[in-house]
Amino acid sequence: MPFEGNLLLRALQAPDRARLAPHMELVHTRRGDRLFTAGEAVSVISFPCDLTVTTLLVAMRDGRSAEAATIGREGAVGGVVSNGCLPASTSAVVQIGGPVLRIEALRLQEAKRLSPALADLFVRYADCLLAQVLQSVACNALHPIEERCLRWLLTLQDRIGTEVLPVTHELLAAMLGVQRTYLTRVLRTLQQRGLVEVGRGRITILDRARVRAAACDCHGMVARHYEDVLGAVYGPSGRLVAVDPPDEGAIRPA
């Protein structure tokens, strides 16, 4: 099992890896794949690996949706907070395709019962994921669309580690819960300010330091919470935020 591609799995001790490995399944996902849909019973926990990125989406009756959390190689999706096997309140959609390791929720529960260290790791991660969701709620309610847009772009860059982000206008509009035409005007403004460069199917962050300064505080607050609660998980070779100096709110190596 390629446990090294996911930071939570990489942090496991050898006995816990051996406990989980026989029950893990490696699948390859494509953009737009749904790991689960709101209302479905979640019976599988999924661990995005390498550059795979998924998003928890909340959909409304009128067809609009908004991002609740973005998850990459630093975490897992699927009943992480509830321990699985309960109806999902959101949908999990793959935004950047790639490898995903999956395990039945009941298998993971049994492993956590047998290993206090494994249980503690997932309790800590569940706390961080919930903090990210709650911060997203506050951000959507309180901050201007330009700041929210930059916050989401930084969040995605954290997980794939490149300045060029494979993001379409349609995708970003869905994440932010706005019309595509409105988002186009927002991106034009950000480009005129020299923060991003907008291309066909991609958005390039031109100066991360300036983008961080122009974004709302939410990105840094979530990163600092991960650092406080799970800092030891993200070691030097797999820092969640790999391009920031450690004294600027990034998740520092242990």
Side-chain angles (χ1 to χ4, degrees), residues 4 7 13 26-27 32 36 38-39 43 58 62-63 91 101 133 144 163 190 192 208 212 222 224 227:
E4 296 300 314
L7 302 187
Q13 298 298 315
L26 177 64
V27 298
F36 53 81
S43 60
V58 178
D62 61 6
S91 297
L101 282 169
V133 171
E163 291 78 16
L190 296 177
Q192 290 170 349
R208 182 176 171 95
R212 294 189 74 204
V222 170
R224 284 190 291 273
E227 177 186 17

Side-chain angles (χ1 to χ4, degrees), residues 62-212:
D62 61 6
R64 293 182 299 168
S65 61
E67 173 246 11
T70 296
I71 301 157
R73 68 184 187 276
E74 84 289 350
V77 294
V80 175
V81 176
S82 66
N83 288 322
C85 301
L86 295 175
S89 59
T90 65
S91 297
V93 181
V94 176
Q95 302 300 351
I96 299 178
V100 172
L101 282 169
R102 308 194 308 174
I103 187 171
E104 292 182 4
L106 291 177
R107 296 284 191 183
L108 184 58
Q109 284 184 24
E110 176 64 12
K112 288 190 290 185
R113 186 185 67 81
L114 296 172
S115 170
L118 182 61
D120 179 70
L121 176 65
F122 278 88
V123 166
R124 289 172 179 270
Y125 175 68
D127 177 85
C128 289
L129 179 59
L130 183 57
Q132 186 182 353
V133 171
L134 294 176
Q135 195 71 44
S136 179
V137 171
C139 185
N140 292 340
L142 300 175
H143 293 146
I145 182 64
E146 292 83 3
E147 294 183 5
R148 291 168 49 207
C149 181
L150 294 175
R151 186 264 300 176
W152 194 87
L153 294 175
L154 287 169
T155 298
L156 181 60
Q157 187 187 29
D158 290 346
R159 284 148 180 82
I160 65 176
T162 65
E163 291 78 16
V164 181
L165 310 177
V167 181
T168 64
H169 288 203
E170 182 179 9
L171 168 62
L172 187 52
M175 295 301 99
L176 299 174
V178 299
Q179 296 294 324
R180 178 177 174 177
T181 52
Y182 181 37
L183 177 69
T184 298
R185 294 198 298 271
V186 170
L187 289 175
R188 186 180 302 121
T189 298
L190 296 177
Q191 184 167 260
Q192 290 170 349
R193 293 170 60 187
L195 298 173
V196 302
E197 182 178 86
V198 181
R200 186 176 183 86
R202 69 181 186 276
I203 298 173
T204 303
I205 292 180
L206 297 177
D207 187 329
R208 182 176 171 95
R210 289 186 60 211
V211 169
R212 294 189 74 204

Side-chain angles (χ1 to χ4, degrees), residues 29-94:
T29 62
R30 295 184 297 179
R31 181 175 174 177
D33 287 351
R34 287 181 177 258
L35 301 181
F36 53 81
T37 301
E40 291 182 352
V42 179
S43 60
V44 173
I45 310 297
S46 299
F47 297 85
C49 297
D50 301 329
L51 302 184
T52 308
V53 177
T54 63
T55 300
L56 298 183
L57 287 177
V58 178
M60 302 300 174
R61 290 183 179 179
D62 61 6
R64 293 182 299 168
S65 61
E67 173 246 11
T70 296
I71 301 157
R73 68 184 187 276
E74 84 289 350
V77 294
V80 175
V81 176
S82 66
N83 288 322
C85 301
L86 295 175
S89 59
T90 65
S91 297
V93 181
V94 176

